[in-house]
């Protein structure tokens, strides 16, 4: 068999992905700039004083008001970019979503972000006030528990805020999944149809949840347009994530990253207080932008490594899939269809792959499948 020819990317796909990347970069730097301005000008202390006044000097409520003010300013600043992102999906005919529905999602997303963000902030500053020396270890331990809880409740509480899900009705597919699971000696609790078509023309699938809530979700856009063999290939890939325990492994990595993050934040806060006299104390929540700044920069620095780790998981899940299905052909056709439907770049530059992609390029995944078939 000869080397497979890689379908070149259309100019449209290249343009769409380039715009998307610039949007991500602009959003990231806008966030950084906001944090830097708040800290550099001392406006963070002005916001803190407003929050205290609004809360009649009660700490916990004042912290909530402060986080809400920050979230509001951040949203107002980034709203233009967000709206442009919405327009882009329409311009490239990838979206079915009306403006009203998008705005409603934006509001829900903002409220959810505020709820989670203020919960995390209350935990951090509670830990700081209870144990100024070891607060970062306390906060870290609570964050670990929370990340497990969030992974568990995500498919049943968080995702349904934005999308509808229902158990997969297609008996043939359910039968195929049971056969795949039996061969893997494992059990996935369920397969759910994900009503993505109400909002997007793209297709997707994922393994989500933890323990009792672990499930494979398949977009209805995938179920409608792909053959049973192709869907089986996608299921086998998702099952590969399950068999290799990728969810748990990612959480373990997250635990390490979070520990490093909290340690760095503690160093930065102590420096800002003792050397630069920017804040009165650790418990002065006007220092929150510095905390966010340190974690944002850390996640940016670690991005290539975390993406590489994710691509490693994806390759493992792909290899699991190749071995589990009778022929790799439906995997290859499904990958090509997905790239077309989602306007994905099949062969991005190495730089783009390293910085932006959690999945290996389509061209590489197809080449791996064909190499597997040749060896068989
Ligand atoms: Zn995957």
């Amino acid at each position: 068999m000869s080397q497979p020819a890689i379908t070149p990317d259309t100019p449209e796909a290249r343009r769409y992905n380039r715009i998307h990347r610039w949007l991500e970069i602009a959003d990231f730097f806008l966030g950084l700039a906001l944090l830097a301005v708040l800290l550099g000008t001392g406006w963070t202390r002005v916001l803190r004083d407003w929050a205290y006044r609004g809360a009649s000097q009660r700490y916990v409520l004042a912290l909530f008001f402060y986080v809400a003010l920050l979230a509001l300013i951040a949203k107002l600043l980034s709203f233009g970019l967000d709206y442009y992102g919405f327009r882009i999906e329409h311009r490239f005919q990838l979206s079915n979503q009306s403006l009203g529905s998008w705005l409603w999602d934006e509001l829900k997303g903002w409220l959810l972000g505020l709820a989670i963000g203020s919960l995390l902030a209350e935990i951090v500053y509670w830990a700081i006030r209870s144990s100024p020396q070891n607060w970062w270890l306390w906060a870290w331990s609570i964050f670990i528990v929370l990340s497990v809880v969030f992974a568990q409740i995500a498919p049943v509480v968080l995702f349904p805020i934005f999308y509808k899900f229902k158990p997969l009705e297609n008996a043939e597919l359910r039968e195929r999944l049971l056969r795949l699971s039996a061969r893997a000696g494992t059990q996935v609790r369920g397969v759910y149809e994900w009503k993505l078509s109400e909002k997007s023309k793209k297709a997707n699938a994922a393994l989500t949840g933890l323990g009792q809530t672990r499930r494979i979700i398949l977009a209805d856009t995938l179920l409608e347009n792909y053959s049973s063999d192709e869907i089986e290939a996608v299921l086998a890939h998702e099952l590969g994530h399950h068999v290799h325990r990728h969810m748990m492994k990612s959480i373990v990595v997250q635990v390490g990253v979070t520990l490093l993050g909290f340690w760095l934040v503690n160093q930065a806060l102590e420096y800002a207080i003792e050397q630069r006299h920017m804040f009165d104390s650790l418990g002065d929540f006007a220092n929150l932008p510095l905390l966010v700044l340190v974690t944002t920069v850390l996640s940016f620095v670690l991005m290539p490594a975390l993406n590489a780790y994710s691509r490693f998981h994806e390759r493992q899940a792909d290899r699991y899939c190749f071995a589990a299905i009778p022929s790799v052909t439906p995997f290859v056709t499904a990958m090509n269809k997905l790239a077309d439907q989602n306007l994905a770049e099949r062969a991005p530059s190495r730089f783009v792959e390293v910085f932006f992609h959690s999945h290996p390029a389509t061209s590489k995944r197809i080449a791996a499948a064909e190499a597997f078939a040749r060896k068989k």
Side-chain angles (χ1 to χ4, degrees):
M1 215 155 114
S2 63
Q3 272 301 336
I6 292 162
T7 324
D9 287 315
T10 60
E12 202 193 11
R14 280 207 300 273
R15 202 162 51 240
Y16 170 70
N17 284 284
R18 203 162 46 228
I19 294 173
H20 232 272
R21 278 196 295 278
W22 278 112
L23 267 175
E24 268 177 59
I25 294 167
D27 201 45
F28 175 79
F29 281 104
L30 195 64
L32 274 193
L34 170 63
L35 296 169
V37 166
L38 285 171
L39 291 167
T41 57
W43 289 344
T44 176
R45 290 190 290 274
V46 176
L47 292 182
R48 173 201 61 198
D49 295 343
W50 287 356
Y52 264 116
R53 231 170 294 146
S56 312
Q57 310 299 320
R58 275 168 300 188
Y59 188 93
V60 171
L61 189 60
L63 175 55
F64 172 73
F65 284 163
Y66 177 83
V67 173
L69 276 172
L70 273 195
L72 190 63
I73 296 169
K75 191 70 212 175
L76 290 175
L77 273 179
S78 69
F79 188 77
L81 287 175
D82 296 340
Y83 178 69
Y84 185 61
F86 166 73
R87 295 297 317 151
I88 288 299
E89 293 295 297
H90 276 280
R91 195 199 296 169
F92 286 89
Q93 267 122 48
L94 292 167
S95 176
N96 288 322
Q97 198 174 16
S98 68
L99 180 62
S101 157
W102 178 78
L103 285 170
W104 179 226
D105 274 0
E106 284 288 296
L107 179 65
K108 286 190 289 189
W110 186 81
L111 288 171
L112 183 63
L114 176 61
I116 295 175
S118 51
L119 172 70
L120 299 183
E122 297 289 356
I123 289 170
V124 164
Y125 287 95
W126 167 82
I128 283 177
R129 282 174 302 143
S130 311
S131 171
Q133 292 300 315
N134 298 315
W135 73 269
W136 56 283
L137 284 170
W138 281 106
W140 173 65
S141 339
I142 299 170
F143 270 45
I144 295 169
V145 175
L146 275 183
S147 62
V148 172
V149 170
F150 276 117
Q152 224 157 24
I153 66 168
V156 283
V157 178
L158 304 182
F159 302 161
I161 297 175
F162 301 96
Y163 294 99
K164 294 192 195 96
F165 294 90
K166 62 169 198 219
L168 184 68
E169 277 160 9
N170 185 322
E172 190 211 336
L173 283 176
R174 280 220 313 262
E175 185 56 39
R176 281 185 186 227
L177 177 77
L178 285 179
R179 270 204 306 271
L180 283 170
S181 317
R183 216 178 306 151
T186 173
Q187 206 189 348
V188 172
R189 312 233 175 234
V191 183
Y192 285 74
E193 181 178 342
W194 168 18
K195 286 270 174 206
L196 186 59
S197 64
E198 288 173 0
K199 293 179 182 175
S200 176
K201 292 188 167 73
K202 292 178 173 176
N204 213 336
L207 176 72
T208 65
L210 213 57
Q212 291 292 332
T213 65
R214 186 186 311 254
R215 61 195 58 191
I216 290 173
I217 56 174
L218 293 170
D220 53 351
T221 43
L222 189 101
L223 290 167
E224 276 156 27
N225 306 311
Y226 292 64
S227 73
S228 298
D229 286 346
E230 287 168 340
I231 295 170
E232 185 181 46
V234 172
L235 280 173
H237 168 93
E238 301 305 338
L239 201 60
H241 284 306
H242 171 71
V243 169
H244 286 290
R245 303 184 167 279
H246 286 162
M247 189 74 83
M248 225 17 177
K249 287 177 184 167
S250 302
I251 290 179
V252 170
V253 168
Q254 207 51 51
V255 163
V257 171
T258 315
L259 180 62
L260 177 63
F262 273 122
W263 179 80
L264 274 175
V265 163
N266 189 43
Q267 299 295 313
L269 288 180
E270 280 184 352
Y271 171 79
I273 293 164
E274 280 155 26
Q275 311 288 326
R276 307 293 302 267
H277 309 292
M278 285 169 75
F279 313 104
D280 303 334
S281 66
L282 278 173
D284 175 6
F285 56 74
N287 61 28
L288 182 61
L290 182 60
L291 188 154
V292 180
L293 186 73
V294 170
T295 48
T296 309
V297 171
L298 178 69
S299 42
F300 177 76
V301 170
L302 292 179
M303 187 77 80
L306 293 175
N307 275 341
Y309 186 60
S310 167
R311 289 196 302 273
F312 165 69
H313 279 177
E314 295 302 329
R315 285 195 300 272
Q316 259 187 343
D318 276 354
R319 278 199 298 277
Y320 180 84
C321 161
F322 305 155
I325 54 177
S327 145
V328 300
T329 309
F331 175 86
V332 172
T333 54
M335 282 295 124
N336 272 319
K337 269 167 120 167
L338 276 169
D340 285 337
Q341 192 173 354
N342 296 349
L343 213 53
E345 276 178 310
R346 286 183 166 80
S349 72
R350 184 73 188 133
F351 174 80
V352 164
E353 192 177 19
V354 164
F355 268 93
F356 293 91
H357 287 203
S358 58
H359 286 62
T362 303
S363 59
K364 290 184 179 169
R365 298 178 75 175
I366 291 176
E370 289 175 340
F372 180 90
R374 278 197 298 275
K375 261 188 275 168
K376 217 155 81 168

